[in-house]
Every structure is written in C-alpha cells, then in structure tokens.
C-alpha cells in the first residue's frame, strides 16, 4: 500500500511577489516624460513659425518635423502611461506595490493630460498658417 499525502500538500503557495510593479513604474516614467516632450515641442513650433515668416529660410521644414515628432512622442507617452497604469492596477489583484505605482502613474497622467493636449494642439495649430 502506498502513502497518499493530504490534498493540502499539493496546493501552490500564495504568490508574494509584486505583480504589476514594472508596469506601474513604466506608467510613472511615461507620465512624467510626456509633458516634457510636449513642452519641448512648443519652442520648435515657434521656431518653425519664425522661420516661415522670415524670408531667409524658405522651405525649411526641419523645425516642423521636429515639433511634430515631439508632439507625437508626447501623445505616445501619454497612451503608454495610461495603458501601463491600467495593466499595473488590474494585474496586481490586491493592494501591493504594483497597484500603488499604477495608481500614481494614472494620477500623474490625469493631472498632465489637459496640458499635453493643449500643447499638442498649440503646435498643430501653429502649422495651419503655413
């Protein structure tokens, strides 16, 4: 006759790791970098307007490309911040470091989102005059 261990012997122990922590940290970093990219795109947009107004640099679109690329990076970072924040919050399952960092990343992006949108529209609107 063979010995059968009790059923509790086979159950996996509960996970003690910080699930979602990486996504939460990514959310915070992206939420901080997004408005920085948007703010940097404004001087490039202003330089593009000044370049177009002066007669010396006709056809110089490098300023516009730089401003539009940075505005796109700001929008991309905003999307990454929100997506990673949501992943961290829902992946954590319970209140741990992953969920807390996800909530912080979402909160920072919630504060920044209107400023980022305003700055991106400012850069895009400045290009309508050309």
């Amino acid at each position: 006759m063979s010995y059968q261990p009790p059923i509790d012997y086979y159950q996996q122990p509960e996970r003690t790791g910080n699930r979602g922590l990486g996504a939460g940290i990514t959310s915070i970093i992206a939420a901080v970098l997004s408005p920085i990219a948007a703010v940097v795109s404004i001087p490039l947009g202003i330089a593009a307007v000044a370049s177009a107004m002066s007669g010396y640099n006709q056809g110089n679109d490098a300023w516009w490309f730089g401003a539009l690329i940075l505005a796109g990076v700001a929008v991309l970072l905003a999307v990454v911040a929100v997506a990673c924040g949501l992943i961290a919050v829902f992946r954590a399952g319970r209140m741990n470091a992953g969920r807390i960092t996800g909530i912080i990343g979402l909160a920072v992006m919630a504060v920044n989102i209107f400023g980022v949108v305003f700055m991106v529209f400012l850069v895009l609107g400045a290009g309508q005059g050309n």
Side-chain angles (χ1 to χ4, degrees):
M1 210 162 225
S2 65
Y3 170 73
Q4 293 284 336
I7 296 257
D8 294 339
Y9 180 79
Y10 293 110
Q11 290 181 350
Q12 295 292 326
E14 191 173 322
R15 292 185 180 181
T16 59
N18 291 327
R19 294 180 53 165
L21 183 60
I25 291 171
T26 304
S27 174
I28 291 173
I29 291 171
V32 169
L33 292 178
S34 177
I36 293 172
V39 167
V40 172
S41 70
I42 290 176
L44 291 176
I46 292 171
V49 170
S51 175
M53 288 174 45
S54 70
Y56 299 112
N57 294 326
Q58 294 295 344
N60 186 5
D61 292 332
W63 296 109
W64 283 121
F65 290 137
L68 291 176
I69 288 171
L70 280 173
V73 167
V75 171
L76 181 68
L77 285 171
V79 170
V80 167
V82 171
C84 287
L86 291 175
I87 289 170
V89 167
F90 289 117
R91 183 171 165 80
R94 63 191 196 316
M95 193 56 75
N96 64 4
R99 180 169 276 189
I100 292 170
T101 54
I103 291 171
I104 290 171
L106 288 172
V108 169
M109 202 59 234
V111 170
N112 291 337
I113 195 70
F114 294 112
V116 170
V117 169
F118 174 73
M119 290 178 229
V120 168
F121 282 145
L122 187 66
V123 168
L124 293 177
Q128 299 300 320
N130 286 343

